Amino acid sequence: MLGWQEVCVQVGRFCRTPMGMEAAHGPHGLALGSSREVSERLLRETEQALHLTTPLSGVSDYLDAVEGAGAGLVLSVDALGALLQTLQLAEAARDGLTAQKDARPDLAAYGPALRLTELLHPLTLAVRPGVPDLLDSASAELGAVREAARRAAAELDHAATAWARRLHASGVAERPLVVQRRDRACCPVRRARKGDLPRGSLTLALSASGATAYMEPAELVPLNNAIAALAGREEEEVAAVLASLSRQVARHAGALLAARDALCALDLASARAAHARWLGAQRPTFGAGVELEGMRHPALLGVSLGHASGGGEAGAEGARGADKGAATRSAGAIAAAAASDANVAPNGCEEASSASPTPSLPPPPVPIGLHIPPASRVAAITGPNTGGKTAALKTLGLACLMARAGLFLPAGPGPRLPFFEAVLADVGDGQGLGAGLSTFSAHMRRVAGACAGAGPSSLVLLDELGSGTEPSEGAAIATATLTWLAGRAGLTLVTTHHTAVRALATSRDDFCCAAVGFDGSTLHPTYSLTWGVAGPSMALSIAQGLGFDPDILAAARDRLAGGGASASSAAQGPARQSLRGLAEEVGGLREERVAAERALEAALRERATAEAELLACEREAANVEERMAQEAAADEAELKARIRTMLHEARTGFLDGKAARRELTQMRGRLQPAREKQPPGAPNPRAAPVVRVGDIVAVAQLKGATGMVVKVAGDVLTVRAGALRVQVRAADVWQAGQAAAKKR
């Protein structure tokens, strides 16, 4: 997406070891520093390797050999020879680093891992790089067996030569030859004359025609047997030596793997330094804000320089597939840097552009300046299409990745940028028909992923945020997303054509903006960046420069100007009138909504007041009923007591009968009303009132509480009192107005 793999391939072409090339060309490219400290060490290593020549050509990757030996396999002589050569080169590199440990302390730190003397000594005695057999010095037994075999071979050769001459002289053989058949020395003779050889001679083979027999004279048989026996002993001893050396390799597996990692690290440091010389790059520093003046996209710059190639066979192998006949603009600069350190700047490298341009190569990309203040959390790049906005976005992303990996940047002196633990990017449309994703869907999915992964140490790169949908909605998404990221991501760089985003970038202190340049005279972009201003999209000018129909462009300009052409005005008039009507309608609806809300608030207040009054009435009715019951009970008790007294007087003869009847009549008049008392204001229950739906009535069984009649079914009424609904007989209610009148 950003071109990181292309940069890693560039570095890989300068590697001289298989491990370095594998690390650079892997699926994820060069390893990134896991922390700022690690990345700063990688940058120091690159700087220290600028003037260092490390003898790494010829280093092989012995990982398979170490793993095989660890699994109990016996290594071949070739594998041990390649391992010896690599260890000898590692020893030479260690000696060179040790001699320069004060000037190159970070690289010298790999020196101890390159010391494998305990394994180097037996390998030196046993093998030699490029020699397919073990040396006689591999073991004393092997040396003795080979010495005996050489003596026996000399004796056999002498005896066989003598026999060949004798057989030729006697006419048994056509020529005095000694040949090998079945790994034994013999003489070719005429088949018809093989009987002339002494008893005990052996026929080893016949020619294709059958006319020649290959005979081993009896005298040569014991000599051939001795040679075969010695060869068997040699083979056994070779197997024993190889097994012993393989076991030693297995025992030193940890040290060998550490040495392999050290060699890979040295190779990568040298490759990064060569890559820096090739690009004319500068060492970056980590700090607040972005300061990259004269920065070029490294992949685009590499194309203009030609194919990179490292020194040595491994470097050439790493560049396989490249056009070996292509012109390479940086070759002279690299050679000059190797010959003289005076051409290399203290904090960077010589400018690759000092070499003469090669006509067959494209021109280098235009350098840009990326200047983002430390306080800015969002930077918006605005301006016309094809102006380099996306290239600037990718350039910053690549610069951050390169610095983390220890690579120098193709920029002016003193490049500075923050250390970002993650670079989250949405660049390109990413449309996936197979996944059912439109351009906008794919775009939104990547933006959502970037937002989910954003943190204080994240760089978020968003190309044309909010594009691919209705412009106003896209602008709303863009502004909301950028505002959200401003509080979460370390830095967000966005390219945009949205006016709302440009306005946001110029109105907030934690935002900044830049505009890509455009030459109005040529109608072409200049690919430069001007910071602190927001640039227009210049769509009409770019269309004109691309040969768009002039009439269409004129009509577009009229529409954009608003009223420059009658057709445009006619089209815009109804639209404006419709917008005004919509605005008035929206205003009226807004007023109606406010009035309705106020009416609702008043109704709610009235309801609350009514419910409070209802509760007060219920409490008052309960109190009145309780007092009436108490008074009736007191009257009844008093009367009962008087009746008992009168009964006692009647039994004793002291009661006047006529007076007693008169008093009982009075007592009956007092007792009956007390038992039939209703709540205050209740009418005569025998006279049921005429009640209609909507009347407000007092309900006897609710202790005189009032409610509204909501249903009349014969003499059964349904009354709603607050949240309560009850069914009562018409005789058990009375008009609320009657109660009020009776109270008065």
Side-chain angles (χ1 to χ4, degrees), residues 251-341:
R251 285 197 299 272
H252 291 84
L256 286 169
L257 294 179
R260 177 181 180 273
D261 292 341
L263 289 170
C264 180
L266 289 173
D267 186 29
L268 289 174
S270 298
R272 295 195 302 268
H275 181 258
R277 289 194 294 268
W278 180 60
L279 293 180
Q282 303 288 326
R283 175 182 172 178
T285 58
F286 294 114
V290 176
E291 277 297 328
L292 299 175
E293 181 59 47
M295 180 72 188
R296 290 183 171 97
H297 191 292
L300 299 178
L301 179 59
V303 172
S304 69
L305 295 175
H307 292 295
S309 61
E313 297 177 1
E317 180 66 17
R320 61 181 178 273
D323 182 4
K324 293 180 174 60
T328 303
R329 193 176 296 176
S330 61
I334 294 175
S340 173
D341 291 341

Side-chain angles (χ1 to χ4, degrees), residues 199-289:
R199 181 177 296 179
S201 298
L202 303 175
T203 302
L204 299 180
L206 296 175
S207 65
S209 64
T212 300
Y214 295 95
M215 301 299 295
E216 181 181 353
E219 183 183 348
L220 301 185
V221 172
L223 296 176
N224 273 320
N225 289 341
I227 293 293
L230 289 170
R233 289 178 57 191
E234 179 184 2
E235 185 177 346
E236 292 176 356
E237 185 59 22
V238 166
V241 171
L242 291 177
S244 174
L245 292 173
S246 299
R247 288 192 295 271
Q248 293 186 62
V249 169
R251 285 197 299 272
H252 291 84
L256 286 169
L257 294 179
R260 177 181 180 273
D261 292 341
L263 289 170
C264 180
L266 289 173
D267 186 29
L268 289 174
S270 298
R272 295 195 302 268
H275 181 258
R277 289 194 294 268
W278 180 60
L279 293 180
Q282 303 288 326
R283 175 182 172 178
T285 58
F286 294 114

Side-chain angles (χ1 to χ4, degrees), residues 1-2 390-391 393-394 424-430 443 446 461-464 493 495:
M1 186 179 291
L2 298 179
T390 302
L393 194 84
K394 292 182 177 181
L424 309 170
D426 170 34
V427 180
D429 67 23
H443 173 55
R446 288 196 302 270
L461 305 173
L462 302 176
D463 189 25
E464 301 293 353
L493 186 64
T495 65

Side-chain angles (χ1 to χ4, degrees), residues 386-446:
T386 71
K389 297 191 300 296
T390 302
L393 194 84
K394 292 182 177 181
T395 300
L396 178 59
L398 276 180
C400 294
L401 294 176
M402 291 175 69
R404 277 189 65 188
L407 293 171
F408 284 14
L409 305 183
R416 185 186 77 244
L417 70 173
F419 178 85
F420 292 110
E421 295 179 356
V423 177
L424 309 170
D426 170 34
V427 180
D429 67 23
Q431 184 179 30
L433 298 180
L437 294 177
S438 67
T439 298
F440 179 71
S441 299
H443 173 55
M444 284 294 97
R445 178 171 290 182
R446 288 196 302 270

Side-chain angles (χ1 to χ4, degrees), residues 8-24:
C8 293
V9 169
Q10 289 178 352
V11 177
R13 288 173 178 157
F14 291 102
C15 291
R16 290 171 290 170
T17 70
M19 301 89 74
M21 285 187 287
E22 181 181 1

